[in-house]
Amino acid sequence: MLMFVVRRLGLMILTALALTFIVFFLTNLRPNLEKLARTEGSVRMSEEAVDQWIIQNGHGGSVFVRYGEWMGLMPGWVLTDEKGTVRGRCITATNTPETAPRYCGVLQGDWGFSTFFKKPVLDSLGEKLAATGWLMLAVMLVMVPASLLIGVLSGMREGSRTDRALSTFSIASTATPEYVSGVILVALLASPVVGLSPLLASWGWIEGKTLFLGTATSAIDDITFWNFTLPVMTIALYGIGYIARMTRASMTEVMTAQYIRTARLKGVSFGAVVVKHALRNALIAPFTVIMLQFPWLLNGVVIVETLFNYKGFGWTLVQAAGNNDINLLLGCSVVAVFVVLVTQLISDVGYVFLNPRIRLS
Amino acid sequence: MEDLLSWGQILGRMGSQFLPVWVALVVTYSLSITFKRRLGLYGKLFDSVVGMIGFGIVMFWVFTALLANMVITHDPLAQLSGLKNAVPGTLVPNPGDGIYPYYLLGGDHLARDVFSRMVMGARSVLSIAPAATAFAFMVGVTLGLPAGYFGGKFDTVLSFIANLVLAFPVILLFYLLVTPEIRVTGIPVYLAAVLFIFPILFFSILFNARYFTNPPRRNLYVGIVLVIGFWAYSGLAFNMDPLGVWSMEPNLLNVFVSVVFVNSPTVFRIVRGIVMDLKARDYVAAGQTRGEGPWYIMLWEILPNARGPLIVDFCLRIGYTTILLGTLGFFGLGVSPDSPDWGSTIDDGRKLLNLVPHPAVVPALALMSLVLGLNLLADGLREESLKD
Amino acid sequence: MTTSADTAWDPSKPILEIDHLSISFFTRLREIPAVMDFSCKVMAGEAMGLVGESGCGKSTVALAVMRDLGKNGRIVGGTIKFKGRDLTHMGEEELRHIRGSEIAMIYQEPMASLNPAMKIGAQLAEVPMIHQGMSRADAWALARQIVADVRLPDPDRIINAYPHQLSGGQQQRIVIAMALMSKPALLILDEPTTALDVTVEAGIVDLVKDLGKKYGTSMLFISHNLGLVMDVCNRICVMYSGEAVETGAVTEVFEEMRHPYTQALFRSIPLPGADKNARPLISIPGNFPLPHERPKGCNFGPRCDYFQSGRCDAGEIPMFPVPNSDRHETRCAKWQEIDWLAEPAKRAVKQKAPIGKVVLKMEDLKKYYSVSSGAFGGGLKKVVKANETLSFEAREGETLAIVGESGCGKSTFAKVLMGLETATSGSILLFDENVQSTPIQQRNTDTVSSVQMVFQNPFDTLNPSMTVGRQIIRALEIFKHGSSDEDRNRRMLELLDLVKLPRAFADRMPRQLSGGQKQRVGIARAFAGGAKVVVADEPVSALDVSVQAAVTDLLMDIQRENRTTLLFISHDLSIVRYLSDRVMVMYLGHVVEMGTTDQVFQPPYHPYTEALLSAVPIADTKVIRKRIVLEGDIPSAMNPPPGCPFQTRCRWKSQVPGGLCDREMPPVQVLEGGHNIKCHLSTEILQTMEPVIKMAAE
Ligand SMILES: Nc1ncnc2c1ncn2[C@@H]1O[C@H](COP(=O)(O)OP(=O)(O)OP(=O)(O)O)[C@@H](O)[C@H]1O
Ligand code: SF4
Ligand code: SF4
Ligand SMILES: [Mg+2]
């Protein structure tokens, strides 16, 4: 067991390094740097000036060295420019070349400065992540119970009417990506001119103009049912369908297993067969799926935060990419990679725990 | 003429615009149902209601894409004055000769016809999604077969890479891979150079493994594959086709390559899993004991028996690719500004979503129905391939 | 709860009375009448055996009694009375009280029958908790006691274990324990030992018999093995294609069968008591009819030697009672006219070819695998000694049988010989060429085509998505046979003739063939390149008995014609005795005994061979068999016991002085006639061994 965790962790670190390196490489491509030079310096910089700027700001050198510096595995660069001032990665307004630490990268907690937010990446990411955390939490609270329930209900009697209805629902919901369901939900529930809201308003059933709010900007300060329902539902809907289908597949497979027949022919009632005998075996597969859903959930977050203008992590990612804010984008990637890998680890460990066959052999 | 059509009239008019599509569908269905017992798995699809519905929806969009020129009412790029954000069924003010008198599904923020753009969008989606999926399958199959069959270091390395790609949130990957800057560096071309070689590899090995006992025939088949393959390869990957038949504009190439890149690891994992299961079969051992080479066993003994799950996944994956393309459009990545593809139309429309929902809702529903159709089709196929 | 019904029931009446039962499965294409007009009675304390070929509806009957036919199965006629109450019209709730408490069922696959995520104790205790409302603690205590009852060692550990921690034999004992938890009146066993090794099977069968006696349980015992039925049951019901064709007391049916199918069945199984030349196997011609393609009249008509048109195919044939018998009945219109004592017509047997020069010689062959232990990879590497110092030679035209139970290294040996694996050490001399370390890719076409293999599982041996003809032609292509496609096509058709399949089969897909037919194609494919050495890995064990005979004979005929060396791997001693010249018995990677067929089947035996022989059920009332039931299970090849590999189960161990068996690997003793035995027992003690199988005095 210990061996397993150690190996798993080693692999995780290797994956994290590889992923961050790829991101670093792709964000620090020459054209991106030139663009950065022009936005930071001046748009009308000459080619030479751009080259100069890039070297002066420590973006010269080999990509491996720069990655090492950024990661904090190698000493930060130090250069003396033509005016004779010593500049360096770790030299900021608050310290001098002498007092500056040698290493200052992600590992040291120095994630660089965001050109978009005009403040350190770590600070800006922190608050955005908190905002997204609430969103994710709400999504999980809706998605997991709903999808497991749907999956188990439809899988326990394959081919029944309940199964047909629920399966159709889950297929439809997996066919609806967030940017589609978001648009439809807003048009249906949050538009003052079409959909349900004008109707409800005219009947006097709702106080405001719309049933729900079509943007979630205000939810940053104050989460309410009114402004948060649509974004949460939009993300959850796709996931519900997907997890429910996995659960159903796993459940139907378990329900045809010989040991379920054994239980039934022991005289166990149907309810007890499902709860005592089938459920645990059937939930092993969906558990891993839920955990592996995270990369996709991050997608949903990006889309929904853009669509509903909720200034969280996803929104930040889009801004960083759109504004060529290299440090911010790198920061976002580190967080994304971290989240994904941690969930993968949880999924692996959880699988082992749920499955006595693996745990004990 | 009324100024504004009722919803009944709109639907009626749309129905008649789609006439060529209906005809094609009726022909397809009557032929297929008549001969369903002779058509293998495809024929069995017509035994399943779910499968038939799914197939119907998919074919509806396929025919729409093929016959789009006959279906549209207006030039999808034409902007008619006075029809900005027009509601569905609006009369076109002073229509000229041969101009359809209504904007059936209204106008968008640039006063273009939403209906025609939606129809044309089908063409743009369906010309990329299946092809990109097919390429992803080529890559996934060609790598997944040996990884599953041989295992060992090769498998470890490839699986690691596959997991690496899968661990990226797709959007992040797209933001990194589909940018004007990256096109400057030529990375998409290199990626294309790698990814597009796989179909050539696949088919050459396929024919070589089967016909190496008969060199003249082998040389013929492999020769054909190589000539056509490299001809298309030179055009698609490097835009250097001497005859100018094959080409792909850089924007499109970028999108295409990224989508293939994102999809192939999943295919790889599926194929690898199936191969690990099937390689323990006796017929594989029988192949080995008569001295058959590994590629023959993988491609001719194992792969044909993996076709069931692969076909099902192929359908699902086209749907997924459609969603991915929509995502790209939604974030305005890699598409030209006035492309009618559904993702970017949704993006354009969402800005005024609260007040003028139809420019976004129409393509949204179109995309949803296509993906739904593909999912239902896959479900039907899965159900039917399990029976027997 | 059900006490009122219990008291109302008169024990002299049948426990189970099935009357004119018909069951159909409804598929999209058609109705499949799986069971038609089936009747049978089980009295209190009786054990009824249900035998018949695969697909004849045995399991369907059993599941109908449990009323668990699935979504598409339905009872379309007749009644099933249990203690006088009709089960066919019982409601779900009422059924639930009967299931598990009064009728219990045991299935073929013990591993699949146990919930992998629940402790054994919990699964057992559930039964009395549901039916008797017993408290949890009491139920667990009872579970522990029953676990001890089914003779499992260390019950306390076992009730706290998960199913995967037990071996196959132990799991099956748990399933039996579970069925006995509430002392049911009727126990249904559906092929309870098919998935187990013979020596383990013997233990389970003993257990079932004893428990049946102890608790007075009636049994419905389903099996395709006549010998097993004879061991366990006192009554038998032979089924054919959905119908009962003959029923009666076991001894009566075995000795005075009154239905041609039963007779044919007996003639197609090799009996170890009989001489193979005096009693050659006779297979039943033709194929089993599919349920929806049954002929009019007698279902067995198309395959029956006594068929008479106008009588046998006129209409439904009822069950005729045989007079002066104990409820003996037969479904044959001509049963009174047939001369039941007439000897079967002798089949033309190809003369045995003389045995020629040595073609294959193995010396000190060793094959070790190194596997990583533990589920998570890494960890310690362990060595599995799959084959230990194998030495033997095989000659042209000879049949060498390799016998042993699961995990004894039979298949590894085949793989090494074929070149799918290379040997760890030792040498293989094939046609005077050393091949022990030449993997198959490096062997030349000649060598490859002259050593071929026939596989065990008919459903796996052919590629499901390639036509039969194509698969044979591919073998010809690879073996560089013929110069043109026409050549090869012609040869392929000849090969189909050779294995007695119609030429039209060339265009068929494997799924359109029956198991026996697939096996024939597999044989044709193996002989495509004129193989000199053929390894047949349990080629008939997955086939029905009636088909087994035909495939075995075919293999022997082709072998004799081509003077092929046949290495016949099997666990079935009856067939081995029937067809082989020499026998090699393996246990845990070691050859424990080797000699001519006569030497091996007669004392002195190796203790393991003795147990193996005694474990094989024999469907012959005239044979007296000494019962030797081995303790425990076969040890895992991953950690074999020290000293003699068989020492954990050997009953002769005490005869060896000084605990030598625990410490030292026994040497190979060469007895007279080149008979090898790997055992510490002294020659004197070996000589005192008695034959396991004896014919009863007539
Ligand atoms: N669920 C089902 N749907 C359709 N046909 C079925 C179903 N179950 C069984 N059958 C058919 O019913 C017939 C009897 O099957 P059954 O399983 O009872 O045979 P069996 O004698 O137990 O065979 P075996 O020795 O292989 O266990 C077979 O032809 C089989 O194909
Ligand atoms: S009824 Fe006729 S065909 Fe049937 S078993 Fe008797 S003799 Fe044979
Ligand atoms: S060596 Fe000992 S333990 Fe082994 S078989 Fe002979 S007597 Fe039994
Ligand atoms: Mg059965």
Side-chain angles (χ1 to χ4, degrees):
Chain A
M1 190 71 197
L2 188 70
M3 197 62 201
F4 165 70
V5 175
V6 170
R7 273 169 57 99
R8 196 72 193 71
L9 281 176
L11 199 65
M12 222 173 105
I13 292 171
L14 192 63
T15 314
L17 287 179
L19 286 176
T20 46
F21 178 74
I22 295 170
V23 179
F24 187 87
F25 175 77
L26 289 174
T27 44
N28 281 273
L29 287 172
R30 181 78 189 182
N32 295 43
L33 294 174
E34 287 173 8
K35 204 166 144 196
L36 182 69
R38 292 211 156 87
T39 41
E40 292 293 285
S42 93
V43 187
R44 280 177 293 282
M45 267 206 273
S46 67
E47 289 292 323
E48 295 83 68
V50 168
D51 285 350
Q52 192 65 27
W53 187 94
I54 288 176
I55 293 169
Q56 282 298 323
N57 285 282
H59 299 301
S62 107
V63 66
F64 297 102
V65 174
R66 282 183 284 142
Y67 173 74
E69 292 173 357
W70 170 75
M71 208 52 192
L73 297 169
M74 283 187 194
W77 54 270
V78 181
L79 286 171
T80 317
D81 66 8
E82 61 269 37
K83 291 183 209 111
T85 37
V86 180
R87 292 154 37 89
R89 183 182 168 83
C90 308
I91 302 168
T92 57
T94 53
N95 60 21
T96 63
E98 289 73 39
T99 59
R102 259 162 64 73
Y103 296 89
C104 56
V106 171
L107 293 177
Q108 285 78 27
D110 185 347
W111 293 36
F113 193 81
S114 158
T115 54
F116 176 72
F117 287 122
K118 307 271 184 274
K119 55 177 172 173
V121 168
L122 212 50
D123 297 352
S124 31
L125 267 183
E127 64 194 60
K128 302 295 173 206
L129 270 174
T132 297
W134 288 112
L135 184 61
M136 289 279 227
L137 180 70
V139 168
M140 280 300 188
L141 286 180
V142 174
M143 183 173 79
V144 173
S147 53
L148 292 184
L149 192 68
I150 293 177
V152 168
L153 283 181
S154 60
M156 75 189 189
R157 283 208 181 90
E158 199 188 356
S160 66
R161 195 162 305 169
T162 329
D163 178 25
R164 291 260 146 87
L166 291 176
S167 294
T168 312
F169 167 77
S170 21
I171 291 187
S173 91
T174 45
T176 321
E178 291 86 352
Y179 52 90
V180 168
S181 53
V183 162
I184 294 174
L185 285 177
V186 170
L188 203 62
L189 302 174
S191 158
V193 290
V194 292
L196 289 179
S197 301
L199 223 61
L200 293 177
S202 70
W203 293 343
W205 287 19
I206 48 174
E207 281 171 25
K209 277 204 185 121
T210 59
L211 184 56
F212 294 111
L213 194 58
T215 87
T217 321
S218 57
I220 290 287
D221 305 317
D222 179 24
I223 294 173
T224 63
F225 190 62
W226 190 52
N227 63 22
F228 220 45
T229 305
L230 289 188
V232 170
M233 285 313 294
T234 305
I235 304 182
L237 214 53
Y238 185 84
I240 287 178
Y242 189 71
I243 300 174
R245 289 187 71 179
M246 289 292 161
T247 315
R248 175 182 180 274
S250 162
M251 189 71 191
T252 47
E253 194 189 314
V254 167
M255 287 305 284
T256 53
Q258 187 83 56
Y259 58 82
I260 293 298
R261 168 171 274 175
T262 311
R264 210 168 49 228
L265 298 192
K266 268 198 286 198
V268 182
S269 66
F270 185 77
V273 166
V274 170
V275 175
K276 274 182 73 181
H277 289 263
L279 216 49
R280 174 158 177 194
N281 290 297
L283 287 185
I284 295 173
F287 175 78
T288 28
V289 173
I290 293 175
M291 284 302 156
L292 299 180
Q293 266 302 83
F294 266 87
W296 183 263
L297 222 53
L298 280 176
N299 272 347
V301 166
V302 176
I303 294 174
V304 163
E305 290 186 0
T306 311
L307 191 63
F308 290 91
N309 202 20
Y310 180 76
K311 296 201 172 65
F313 175 73
W315 178 85
T316 309
L317 198 155
V318 174
Q319 300 310 322
N323 293 295
N324 199 39
D325 187 343
I326 295 178
N327 281 332
L328 188 57
L329 190 54
L330 278 170
C332 290
S333 314
V334 172
V335 172
V337 165
F338 183 75
V339 170
V340 168
L341 291 182
V342 167
T343 50
Q344 276 183 4
L345 185 71
I346 296 177
S347 140
D348 280 4
V349 173
Y351 184 74
V352 171
F353 262 99
L354 280 173
N355 199 341
R357 254 173 297 189
I358 297 190
R359 177 154 34 112
L360 295 154
S361 58
Chain B
M1 263 189 223
E2 302 107 292
D3 282 352
L4 196 61
L5 298 177
S6 72
W7 274 105
Q9 288 167 314
I10 294 176
L11 287 180
R13 279 174 176 264
M14 283 207 302
S16 62
Q17 271 319 108
F18 278 117
L19 192 65
V21 175
W22 303 135
V23 174
L25 274 180
V26 169
V27 172
T28 314
Y29 266 74
S30 43
L31 283 180
S32 308
I33 292 180
T34 319
F35 297 112
K36 71 176 176 185
R37 289 282 161 256
R38 277 193 262 156
L39 292 172
L41 182 60
Y42 170 74
K44 277 205 260 165
L45 191 60
F46 293 87
D47 289 334
S48 137
V49 180
V50 172
M52 270 213 279
I53 296 175
F55 185 67
I57 301 176
V58 173
M59 287 322 282
F60 171 83
W61 286 113
V62 169
F63 288 130
T64 304
L66 288 175
L67 307 171
N69 290 335
M70 296 160 77
V71 176
I72 53 172
T73 53
H74 294 87
D75 176 356
L77 296 180
Q79 310 181 352
L80 299 187
S81 62
L83 289 172
K84 184 172 164 193
N85 292 332
V87 294
T90 308
L91 184 71
V92 174
N94 354 298
D97 256 358
I99 292 195
Y100 196 80
Y102 292 99
Y103 264 17
L104 286 176
L105 291 176
D108 67 4
H109 67 298
L110 293 176
R112 295 171 299 193
D113 180 32
V114 170
F115 175 74
S116 305
R117 288 180 70 75
M118 183 264 292
V119 170
M120 270 307 178
R123 180 174 279 186
S124 96
V125 166
L126 283 173
S127 59
I128 307 177
T133 312
F135 270 88
F137 260 74
M138 286 285 130
V139 177
V141 168
T142 316
L143 293 176
L145 283 174
Y149 187 74
F150 295 118
K153 289 269 183 310
F154 181 73
D155 178 30
T156 314
V157 171
L158 278 184
S159 295
F160 179 73
I161 296 176
N163 288 338
L164 220 55
V165 180
L166 289 175
F168 266 112
V170 187
I171 294 199
L172 180 57
L173 205 58
F174 280 158
Y175 263 123
L176 297 172
L177 279 180
V178 190
T179 58
E181 285 79 31
I182 210 163
R183 287 197 278 281
V184 176
T185 61
I187 289 179
V189 177
Y190 302 137
L191 258 180
V194 175
L195 295 178
F196 291 1
I197 201 88
F198 280 98
I200 306 179
L201 259 176
F202 177 83
F203 285 107
S204 324
I205 301 174
L206 185 77
F207 289 121
N208 181 48
R210 172 80 148 73
Y211 293 111
F212 76 92
T213 51
N214 183 347
R217 196 178 305 170
R218 186 259 318 262
N219 296 346
L220 174 71
Y221 288 146
V222 175
I224 293 176
V225 169
L226 291 181
V227 168
I228 297 184
F230 278 105
W231 178 33
Y233 183 70
S234 65
L236 295 178
F238 302 108
N239 213 354
M240 291 194 309
D241 175 9
L243 304 179
V245 177
W246 304 93
S247 73
M248 219 191 256
E249 56 167 306
N251 245 347
L252 187 61
L253 183 74
N254 195 179
V255 169
F256 195 88
V257 166
S258 315
V259 172
V260 173
F261 185 71
V262 169
N263 268 320
S264 28
T266 326
V267 181
F268 166 83
R269 286 226 294 213
I270 295 173
V271 173
R272 174 175 171 273
I274 301 178
V275 172
M276 299 232 273
D277 174 24
L278 289 184
K279 76 173 173 186
R281 300 294 160 97
D282 279 349
Y283 56 83
V284 171
Q288 290 166 337
T289 54
R290 61 170 188 266
E292 212 74 80
W295 282 103
Y296 177 86
I297 293 182
M298 284 182 248
L299 290 168
W300 291 94
E301 302 273 2
I302 295 180
L303 192 58
N305 295 305
R307 67 180 184 276
L310 290 186
I311 292 173
V312 170
D313 187 67
F314 189 71
C315 293
L316 285 176
R317 202 147 293 283
I318 297 178
Y320 182 66
T321 310
T322 308
I323 294 181
L324 287 184
L325 290 173
T327 313
L328 281 168
F330 182 79
F331 286 106
L333 295 172
V335 284
S336 53
D338 43 28
S339 145
D341 82 277
W342 293 335
S344 41
T345 344
I346 295 175
D347 184 39
D348 288 340
R350 76 184 169 89
K351 279 140 206 157
L352 283 174
L353 192 57
N354 275 339
L355 303 171
V356 204
H358 63 267
V361 170
V362 169
L365 288 176
L367 190 141
M368 182 185 147
S369 68
L370 173 60
V371 180
L372 180 63
L374 285 162
N375 284 7
L376 291 175
L377 175 63
D379 233 44
L381 284 171
R382 177 176 14 233
E383 212 173 282
E384 290 307 312
S385 67
L386 288 183
K387 283 184 191 161
D388 204 19
Chain C
M1 276 184 299
T2 48
T3 35
S4 61
D6 273 347
T7 42
W9 174 72
D10 167 10
S12 67
K13 293 251 176 65
I15 289 257
L16 180 73
E17 188 172 11
I18 302 177
D19 204 27
H20 300 291
L21 180 70
S22 297
I23 302 162
S24 285
F25 290 99
F26 294 87
T27 65
R28 235 173 353 165
L29 295 181
R30 58 175 73 84
E31 175 185 346
I32 298 176
V35 172
M36 288 158 68
D37 188 26
F38 176 88
S39 307
C40 98
K41 254 186 224 139
V42 183
M43 307 297 284
E46 241 176 27
M48 166 69 94
L50 212 52
V51 291
E53 284 170 88
S54 178
C56 70
K58 305 180 298 279
S59 304
T60 309
V61 168
L63 291 173
V65 175
M66 292 310 260
R67 284 281 311 280
D68 192 59
L69 287 166
K71 277 195 299 272
N72 60 346
R74 218 168 46 230
I75 296 176
V76 291
T79 56
I80 304 171
K81 287 213 182 83
F82 173 72
K83 291 189 175 174
R85 291 188 290 158
D86 189 355
L87 294 175
T88 51
H89 292 102
M90 211 173 257
E92 218 24 65
E93 195 51 24
E94 223 176 330
L95 277 171
R96 205 163 67 68
H97 289 302
I98 291 189
R99 290 175 179 162
S101 81
E102 301 213 48
I103 311 180
M105 185 155 175
I106 294 168
Y107 324 83
Q108 182 169 352
E109 286 283 334
M111 180 68 196
S113 311
L114 294 172
N115 189 336
M118 258 169 106
K119 286 191 176 165
I120 300 284
Q123 300 192 44
L124 291 175
E126 204 178 25
V127 181
M129 281 161 76
I130 297 170
H131 294 292
Q132 277 105 45
M134 206 182 262
S135 76
R136 204 184 125 78
D138 289 352
W140 275 72
L142 180 65
R144 195 199 162 284
Q145 186 209 325
I146 303 258
V147 166
D149 263 9
V150 293
R151 297 177 211 152
L152 279 170
D154 201 356
D156 291 310
R157 184 184 65 84
I158 287 196
I159 54 173
N160 281 309
Y162 285 95
H164 69 273
Q165 294 168 301
L166 309 181
S167 70
Q170 290 176 328
Q171 287 170 354
Q172 194 60 297
R173 282 169 197 260
I174 291 297
V175 176
I176 292 172
M178 190 149 75
L180 294 173
M181 279 304 281
S182 64
K183 316 246 168 9
L186 176 67
L187 190 58
I188 301 176
L189 302 102
D190 190 355
E191 316 234 7
T193 56
T194 312
L196 305 175
D197 279 311
V198 243
T199 52
V200 180
E201 172 184 83
I204 298 276
V205 166
D206 261 20
L207 176 72
V208 167
K209 275 199 300 194
D210 290 356
L211 292 176
K213 270 199 211 96
K214 182 169 166 191
Y215 295 116
T217 317
S218 306
M219 282 190 267
L220 189 62
F221 186 90
I222 298 176
S223 178
H224 60 268
N225 188 330
L226 288 167
L228 212 53
V229 169
M230 196 185 97
D231 270 358
V232 178
C233 305
N234 30 35
R235 295 192 63 80
I236 184 174
C237 172
V238 182
M239 283 187 78
Y240 183 76
S241 192
E243 291 178 330
V245 292
E246 182 166 9
T247 168
V250 166
T251 40
E252 224 169 272
V253 172
F254 275 49
E255 281 162 15
E256 293 168 37
M257 58 208 68
R258 288 294 174 263
H259 193 280
Y261 174 64
T262 317
Q263 187 185 44
L265 212 51
F266 273 94
R267 285 181 177 169
S268 67
I269 53 174
L271 295 178
D275 176 25
K276 67 176 163 190
N277 297 318
R279 189 183 174 284
L281 298 189
I282 302 168
S283 57
I284 307 178
N287 274 314
F288 190 77
L290 292 175
H292 53 274
E293 292 170 356
R294 293 196 183 117
K296 193 167 174 314
C298 177
N299 285 342
F300 189 55
R303 303 170 77 186
C304 180
D305 287 340
Y306 309 102
F307 179 79
Q308 186 183 354
S309 77
R311 253 180 94 191
C312 299
D313 55 3
E316 284 302 302
I317 294 165
M319 284 296 248
F320 297 99
V322 177
N324 307 325
S325 66
D326 178 15
R327 291 172 282 148
H328 188 175
E329 292 176 27
T330 170
R331 197 186 288 273
C332 174
K334 297 178 60 185
W335 75 274
Q336 275 164 315
E337 298 143 48
I338 295 171
D339 176 8
W340 294 103
L341 296 175
E343 283 294 308
K346 280 247 162 54
R347 190 178 76 90
V349 180
K350 287 229 167 56
Q351 211 42 82
K352 179 131 189 56
I355 288 173
K357 61 180 194 322
V358 174
V359 289
L360 172 71
K361 191 174 161 105
M362 290 214 178
E363 234 158 276
D364 286 337
L365 182 88
K366 286 197 177 103
K367 175 68 194 173
Y368 295 173
Y369 288 107
S370 87
V371 294
S372 48
S373 59
F376 309 117
L380 296 163
K381 291 274 185 218
K382 271 199 161 175
V383 173
V384 176
K385 299 178 177 175
N387 284 160
E388 273 276 39
T389 49
L390 278 184
S391 306
F392 70 91
E393 42 184 58
R395 294 163 183 275
E396 191 182 54
E398 183 183 46
T399 304
L400 173 65
I402 300 161
V403 179
E405 294 174 283
S406 64
C408 74
K410 295 170 296 192
S411 302
T412 305
F413 151 81
K415 276 190 197 150
V416 174
L417 173 60
M418 303 300 303
L420 298 182
E421 304 269 0
T422 51
T424 309
S425 72
S427 72
I428 306 177
L429 214 60
L430 191 63
F431 316 114
D432 303 324
E433 195 188 334
N434 268 316
V435 295
Q436 67 275 7
S437 44
T438 324
I440 189 147
Q441 289 88 350
Q442 284 156 34
R443 294 187 180 180
N444 60 38
T445 315
D446 263 358
T447 318
V448 171
S449 65
S450 57
V451 190
Q452 281 297 298
M453 188 154 173
V454 178
F455 295 89
Q456 171 172 15
N457 187 345
F459 299 96
D460 238 22
T461 182
L462 301 182
N463 184 336
S465 36
M466 225 189 256
T467 63
V468 165
R470 179 71 232 141
Q471 303 200 35
I472 299 178
I473 289 180
R474 178 67 194 181
L476 293 170
E477 276 172 9
I478 279 289
F479 297 149
K480 303 201 173 76
H481 187 284
S483 50
S484 66
D485 285 354
E486 292 75 55
D487 257 9
R488 285 188 282 265
N489 205 36
R490 197 169 329 112
R491 173 75 186 141
M492 180 268 292
L493 294 174
E494 285 168 18
L495 282 167
L496 285 182
D497 295 344
L498 179 73
V499 294
K500 307 202 176 81
L501 285 177
R503 289 189 167 202
F505 274 32
D507 298 322
R508 295 248 183 120
M509 289 311 249
R511 72 183 126 80
Q512 295 166 291
L513 271 56
S514 70
Q517 289 166 341
K518 284 186 206 166
Q519 244 6 15
R520 285 168 194 259
V521 177
I523 293 173
R525 187 178 58 187
F527 281 91
K532 297 277 188 308
V533 177
V534 169
V535 181
D537 189 354
E538 309 240 15
V540 294
S541 65
L543 301 176
D544 271 314
V545 274
S546 69
V547 186
Q548 275 187 7
V551 175
T552 313
D553 280 337
L554 175 76
L555 206 53
M556 279 168 72
D557 283 352
I558 300 178
Q559 180 213 11
R560 288 181 179 171
E561 207 159 295
N562 301 353
R563 298 177 50 74
T564 318
T565 307
L566 184 63
L567 299 181
F568 190 88
I569 301 179
S570 178
H571 66 270
D572 182 348
L573 286 173
S574 322
I575 280 206
V576 164
R577 173 163 186 164
Y578 177 70
L579 60 69
S580 58
D581 301 308
R582 284 198 303 137
V583 180
M584 184 164 113
V585 183
M586 289 181 72
Y587 188 80
L588 276 187
H590 294 263
V591 178
V592 293
E593 180 167 3
M594 182 159 65
T596 63
T597 308
D598 287 341
Q599 286 168 346
V600 171
F601 280 80
Q602 258 143 43
Y605 307 107
H606 183 277
Y608 174 63
T609 315
E610 183 193 30
L612 204 56
L613 273 172
S614 131
V616 180
I618 300 167
D620 190 342
T621 46
K622 293 188 281 299
V623 167
I624 298 172
R625 185 162 48 120
K626 195 154 81 191
R627 242 3 213 156
I628 302 164
V629 174
L630 291 182
E631 292 295 315
D633 289 317
I634 305 170
S636 135
M638 198 109 70
N639 36 35
C644 172
F646 189 54
Q647 55 119 326
T648 51
R649 304 166 81 197
C650 182
R651 69 177 191 127
W652 290 88
K653 198 166 118 182
S654 56
Q655 308 275 343
V656 177
L660 214 54
C661 303
D662 297 334
R663 281 178 286 116
E664 267 173 54
M665 180 65 68
V668 177
Q669 306 186 34
V670 183
L671 308 181
E672 60 183 306
H675 182 191
N676 288 353
I677 288 183
K678 196 174 199 169
C679 180
H680 284 304
L681 285 176
S682 64
T683 329
E684 295 75 54
I685 297 179
L686 283 175
Q687 295 303 346
T688 61
M689 284 187 170
E690 286 167 16
V692 174
I693 298 168
K694 271 190 287 212
M695 299 303 286
E698 289 283 315

